[in-house]
């Protein structure tokens, strides 16, 4: 009974949402050291989000592993796409399920034209910006296509796209050894199954976190350290009553 309290531990950190400010804060709050840690496991289930928050989250996770001198394993469950893959790729070893959706290395920008809708509903938007053209194009308050502004926006997102590419080259250097056709597939925001991800070098092996960690560290107990958002906690509490 008491043996489990003295066994080495592997903290499990789950990322089960979009990559944004809230999920970054939860990661920071979750990363609390346990006694006798042998490794850190990050389980990713995310379709993506904000690249800036992905970078902040990455630094917090890496600092934790480096400070405690433990290896970092990452695992994809249902999906690790875009900023989700950005995080998955930082593992010293990356594991995926055969049916996981992995990749989408690139940047997506969605802009909805709202000018006709706001006019139809009788709304009059108040516009305040030192760059009127940029404001209208980003907020969707302009139905007219402005190729000059589209070019500016594409340039800005091109910088983010290059950051993503550089990140993948750093953490997955084997991607650069692929044929040109394969690299074009990988770096063009395509989505792959887990099996394909291993084939193309986006991941190392097939396996879920319980199976893999029990095989690599049979003497350790797995401890989920993920903080639950307060709203979700109250919902779960009500459902259990």
């Amino acid at each position: 009974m008491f043996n489990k309290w003295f066994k080495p531990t592997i903290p499990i950190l789950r990322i089960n949402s979009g990559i944004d400010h809230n999920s970054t804060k939860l990661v920071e709050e979750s990363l609390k050291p346990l006694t006798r840690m042998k490794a850190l496991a990050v389980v990713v289930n995310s379709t993506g989000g904000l690249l800036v928050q992905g970078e902040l989250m990455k630094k917090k996770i890496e600092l934790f592993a480096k400070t405690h001198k433990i290896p970092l394993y990452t695992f994809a469950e249902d999906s690790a796409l875009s900023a989700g893959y950005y995080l998955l790729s930082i593992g010293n070893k990356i594991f995926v399920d055969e049916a996981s959706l992995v990749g989408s290395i690139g940047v997506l920008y969605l802009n909805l034209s709202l000018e006709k809708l706001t006019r139809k509903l009788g709304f009059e938007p108040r516009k305040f910006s030192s760059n009127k053209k940029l404001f209208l194009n980003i907020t969707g308050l302009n139905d007219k296509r402005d190729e000059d502004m589209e070019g500016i926006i594409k340039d800005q997102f091109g910088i983010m796209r290059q950051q993503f590419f550089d990140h993948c080259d750093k953490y997955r250097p084997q991607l650069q050894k692929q044929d040109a056709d394969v690299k074009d597939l990988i770096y063009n925001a395509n989505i792959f199954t887990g099996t394909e991800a291993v084939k193309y070098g986006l991941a190392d092996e097939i396996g879920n976190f319980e199976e893999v960690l029990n095989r690599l560290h049979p003497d350790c107990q797995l401890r989920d350290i993920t903080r639950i958002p307060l709203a979700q906690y109250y919902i779960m509490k009500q459902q259990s009553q």
Side-chain angles (χ1 to χ4, degrees), residues 4 12 14 28-29 45 50 62 76 81 89 93 107 134 138 140 150 152 164 166 168 173 192 201 219 229 238:
K4 71 175 185 177
I12 310 298
R14 297 177 179 272
E28 183 176 19
E29 293 174 350
N45 188 11
L50 303 173
E62 287 187 322
L81 300 174
S89 63
K93 205 155 192 183
V107 177
L134 183 61
I138 289 180
E150 283 184 7
I152 292 173
F164 202 161
D166 293 342
C168 291
F192 306 94
D219 60 326
Q238 289 177 347

Side-chain angles (χ1 to χ4, degrees), residues 65-182:
K66 183 178 180 180
T67 299
H68 299 285
K69 299 178 181 179
I70 52 177
L72 171 61
Y73 303 122
T74 56
F75 300 83
E77 289 197 322
D78 295 335
S79 60
L81 300 174
S82 193
Y85 181 75
Y86 193 89
L87 289 172
L88 183 75
S89 63
I90 69 175
N92 300 129
K93 205 155 192 183
I94 301 172
F95 300 88
V96 294
D97 187 86
E98 291 178 351
S100 298
L101 298 179
V102 180
S104 189
I105 298 174
V107 177
L108 173 66
Y109 172 64
L110 177 64
N111 177 259
L112 300 176
S113 178
L114 302 174
E115 185 179 12
K116 290 181 180 178
L117 177 62
T118 56
R119 195 184 305 122
K120 186 176 181 180
L121 295 175
F123 295 126
E124 182 182 349
R126 302 294 185 184
K127 313 178 185 76
F128 301 96
S129 174
S130 60
N131 188 329
K132 184 178 178 181
K133 289 182 70 176
L134 183 61
F135 176 84
L136 291 174
N137 279 272
I138 289 180
T139 57
L141 297 175
N142 184 15
D143 286 337
K144 298 177 182 178
R145 182 173 180 180
D146 190 322
E147 294 185 359
D148 290 338
M149 289 312 305
E150 283 184 7
I152 292 173
I153 293 170
K154 285 179 180 178
D155 287 343
Q156 292 172 334
F157 279 85
I159 295 171
M160 296 169 61
R161 184 170 177 258
Q162 190 58 51
Q163 178 188 340
F164 202 161
F165 291 176
D166 293 342
H167 169 92
C168 291
D169 290 345
K170 175 183 176 181
Y171 288 93
R172 304 299 294 173
Q174 54 268 60
L175 296 178
Q176 290 301 307
K177 300 176 183 177
Q178 297 285 358
D179 294 338
D181 291 344
V182 174

Side-chain angles (χ1 to χ4, degrees), residues 17-20 46-50 80-85:
S17 65
I19 310 301
D20 58 17
S46 175
T47 56
L50 303 173
L81 300 174
S82 193
Y85 181 75

